């Protein structure tokens, strides 16, 4: 155990070897912050027939043929990018606040296109009028009306975090979520048997949709409620218990795709846990901080993916382990980071809704998976890393 937490300088050097050629030349930090924020702003759509004004383009990759991406007009990456910028704004120079405000204001105009008038507290992953299912897919387009996805807790929670509305809206959303928790309409059929009757929050709001639990989605939901200091109810407590036991048993490493079918990779799960910890330092997470640090370091040792390295370093700092040396990021090579095939933050797998044992059987099969990425969000993660390093004093 004494070897588990080692000198952070070693990991800076290690990462430099693994992703050499991407992080190299030294630039003034203030120039790089300005460069990244303005680069994000330049990607925001002003007008397009496919994307709504204010959105950031994102791409969908079919797992067996990842070299052929399709544009995907989901709202999720716009919300992720804007939430990140909102969180970073206090650390930005005053001169860049107008740029950040402009990004947030333009994005706000796009969110209503993903919200049904009869459901004002929730949002959908894809546009709702007309409904979309895997846009730009010739094979799936005819099924968009009968197979349209219900609204989901991940998009809704991230959009509310990006918008930061009044407390009354989040209190109403909190009450609404309880109506779709596990066991309210039906019990979950695709998680560990021990938790079949635990009333945690489901990912989906549709009554006919199978109940689905996801590690990262619950982290995002609780990040929202902790941010607003919402009094916890039994559904929050059940969600916390499930997360607590997934972290305590290290299933975010050993069974990541099973407990988080929409994110599926240990570095991304660790990133979500660390973000939740930074939000509120909940008491139940305290016993696991050293463990999460250790596992983040282990993931760093085995990755050659720039985005994973960035989110793992950010996670370590959020968990209280600040490296002595900062990785130098070359603006001329940021595009290489954005376009790495591993820069995948989110995935859609048809196995996620299958009941046991079929869910586990289908997890390894690539032909039923799609990967999603967004260059603007990768830029936001780079910006987050730089500012976290600068202002995180541990």
């Amino acid at each position: 155990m004494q070897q588990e937490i080692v000198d952070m300088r070693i990991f800076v050097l290690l990462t430099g070897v693994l992703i050499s050629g991407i992080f190299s030349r030294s630039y003034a930090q203030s120039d790089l912050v300005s460069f990244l924020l303005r680069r994000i702003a330049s990607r925001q759509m002003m007008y397009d027939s496919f994307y709504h004004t204010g959105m950031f383009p994102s791409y969908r990759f079919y797992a067996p043929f990842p070299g052929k991406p399709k544009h995907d007009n989901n709202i999720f990456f716009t919300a992720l990018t804007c939430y990140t910028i909102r969180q970073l704004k206090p650390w930005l120079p005053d001169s860049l606040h107008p740029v950040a405000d402009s990004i947030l204001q333009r994005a706000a105009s796009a969110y209503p296109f993903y919200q049904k008038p009869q459901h004002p507290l929730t949002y959908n992953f894809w546009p709702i009028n007309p409904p979309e299912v895997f846009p730009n897919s010739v094979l799936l387009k005819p099924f968009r009306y009968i197979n349209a996805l219900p609204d989901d807790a991940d998009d809704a929670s991230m959009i509310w975090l990006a918008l930061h509305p009044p407390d009354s809206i989040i209190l109403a959303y909190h009450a609404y979520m309880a109506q779709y928790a596990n066991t309210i309409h039906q019990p979950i059929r695709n998680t560990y048997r021990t938790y079949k009757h635990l009333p945690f929050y489901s990912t989906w709001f549709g009554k006919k949709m199978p109940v689905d639990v996801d590690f990262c989605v619950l982290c995002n939901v609780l990040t929202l409620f902790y941010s607003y200091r919402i009094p916890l109810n039994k559904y929050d407590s059940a969600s916390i218990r499930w997360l607590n036991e997934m972290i305590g048993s290290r299933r975010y490493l050993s069974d990541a795709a099973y407990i988080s079918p929409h994110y599926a990779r240990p570095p991304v799960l660790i990133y979500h846990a660390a973000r939740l910890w930074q939000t509120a330092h909940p008491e139940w997470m305290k016993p696991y901080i050293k463990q999460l640090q250790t596992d983040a370091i282990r993931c760093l040792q085995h990755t050659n993916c720039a985005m994973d390295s960035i989110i793992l370093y950010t996670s370590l700092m959020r968990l209280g382990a600040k490296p002595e040396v900062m990785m130098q990021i070359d603006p001329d090579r940021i595009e290489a980071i954005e376009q790495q095939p591993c820069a995948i933050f989110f995935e859609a797998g048809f196995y996620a809704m299958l009941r046991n044992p079929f869910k586990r059987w289908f997890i390894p099969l690539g032909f039923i998976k799609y990967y999603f990425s967004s260059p603007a969000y990768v830029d936001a993660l780079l910006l987050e890393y730089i500012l976290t390093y600068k202002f995180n004093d541990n």
Side-chain angles (χ1 to χ4, degrees):
M1 292 297 290
Q2 292 179 354
Q3 298 300 317
E4 288 184 346
I5 304 295
V6 302
D7 194 319
M8 292 298 297
R9 290 171 294 185
I10 295 175
F11 294 99
V12 173
L13 295 174
L14 174 65
T15 306
V17 172
L18 291 175
I19 52 178
S20 60
I22 294 179
F23 303 109
S24 54
R25 293 160 58 190
S26 177
Y27 282 75
Q29 194 175 79
S30 59
D31 292 342
L32 189 55
V33 167
S34 177
F35 173 84
L36 283 167
L37 188 65
R38 295 183 190 280
R39 183 179 177 87
I40 293 167
S42 71
R43 294 183 182 280
Q44 201 167 19
M45 303 304 298
M46 298 302 176
Y47 174 79
D48 188 274
S49 59
F50 182 64
Y51 294 101
H52 293 287
T53 299
M55 291 181 65
F56 293 103
S58 60
Y59 300 89
R60 185 178 74 246
F61 305 80
Y62 183 41
F65 306 105
K68 296 181 179 180
K70 291 182 180 291
H71 276 274
D72 190 283
N73 60 351
N74 67 81
I75 197 63
F76 190 57
F77 282 105
T78 297
L80 280 174
T81 303
C82 288
Y83 170 58
T84 304
I85 289 172
R86 181 177 291 280
Q87 292 299 101
L88 296 176
K89 184 182 170 184
W91 293 348
L92 292 170
D94 291 346
S95 61
L96 292 177
H97 283 195
V99 180
D101 289 339
S102 177
I103 291 171
L104 298 177
Q105 289 165 9
R106 287 201 299 267
S109 68
Y111 300 137
F113 294 98
Y114 295 77
Q115 189 177 49
K116 301 180 183 75
Q118 67 271 32
H119 298 297
L121 295 171
T122 61
Y123 292 87
N124 207 279
F125 185 72
W126 284 310
I128 53 89
N129 189 22
E132 292 277 7
V133 173
F134 291 97
N136 286 324
S137 173
V138 175
L139 292 176
L140 294 174
K141 187 174 182 179
F143 299 97
R144 66 184 185 182
Y145 288 99
I146 60 173
N147 290 325
L149 290 176
D151 294 352
D152 67 272
D154 215 16
D155 283 287
S157 298
M158 291 312 305
I159 289 173
W160 291 134
L161 282 165
L163 285 171
H164 196 70
D167 292 9
S168 58
I169 291 179
I170 305 305
L171 284 167
Y173 174 62
H174 183 246
Y176 185 84
M177 282 203 65
Q179 299 175 36
Y180 295 89
N182 183 41
T183 73
I184 297 296
H185 300 289
Q186 56 183 306
I188 193 168
R189 296 176 178 178
N190 63 1
T191 191
Y192 307 107
R193 190 173 300 176
T194 304
Y195 309 106
K196 182 177 180 179
H197 298 291
L198 186 66
F200 44 67
Y201 291 121
S202 176
T203 300
W204 306 100
F205 292 119
K207 293 181 180 179
K208 296 180 181 180
M209 195 75 166
V211 177
D212 171 45
V213 64
D214 186 288
F215 183 97
C216 295
V217 175
L218 289 185
C219 284
N220 289 337
V221 169
L222 290 173
T223 295
L224 174 66
F225 295 156
Y226 277 133
S227 296
Y228 277 80
R229 299 182 180 180
I230 301 292
L232 301 182
N233 58 28
K234 69 177 184 179
Y235 306 106
D236 301 299
S237 298
S239 300
I240 288 168
R241 177 188 161 189
W242 190 87
L243 282 174
N244 189 330
E245 296 187 17
M246 295 305 105
I247 295 174
S249 60
R250 280 190 161 105
R251 288 198 170 111
Y252 56 84
L253 288 183
S254 63
D255 217 2
Y258 188 73
I259 69 168
S260 188
H262 307 290
Y263 293 86
R265 300 191 305 110
V268 183
L269 272 67
I270 291 172
Y271 174 84
H272 279 79
R275 186 166 66 186
L276 176 60
W277 168 252
Q278 186 189 46
T279 299
H281 286 63
E283 191 70 27
W284 63 270
M285 287 190 73
K286 286 184 178 179
Y288 308 120
I289 300 309
K290 290 296 183 183
Q291 171 190 306
L292 287 163
Q293 290 176 356
T294 298
D295 291 336
I297 291 170
R298 286 175 174 169
C299 289
L300 270 171
Q301 289 177 303
H302 295 96
T303 188
N304 59 358
C305 179
M307 189 197 80
D308 284 356
S309 297
I310 286 294
I311 65 175
L312 287 166
Y313 272 115
T314 299
S315 298
L316 280 166
M317 289 185 283
R318 284 173 165 164
L319 295 166
K322 184 175 181 178
E324 295 182 15
V325 181
M326 182 180 179
M327 291 184 294
Q328 299 300 324
I329 300 171
D330 184 347
D332 296 333
R333 297 179 182 176
I334 286 176
E335 187 172 353
I337 301 174
E338 298 166 349
Q339 295 182 357
Q340 274 193 303
C342 61
I344 302 300
F345 196 78
F346 177 86
E347 73 174 53
F350 294 116
Y351 67 85
M353 295 293 100
L354 297 177
R355 65 174 63 186
N356 288 332
F358 303 105
K359 177 182 175 182
R360 184 156 319 266
W361 292 351
F362 278 82
I363 283 174
L365 303 181
F367 73 89
I368 56 172
K369 292 181 185 178
Y370 288 88
Y371 301 135
F372 293 79
S373 69
S374 169
Y377 185 54
V378 174
D379 292 346
L381 291 172
L382 287 166
L383 183 63
E384 181 181 62
Y385 164 73
I386 293 166
L387 292 174
T388 302
Y389 184 90
K390 181 178 181 180
F391 290 100
N392 190 339
D393 296 323
N394 297 299

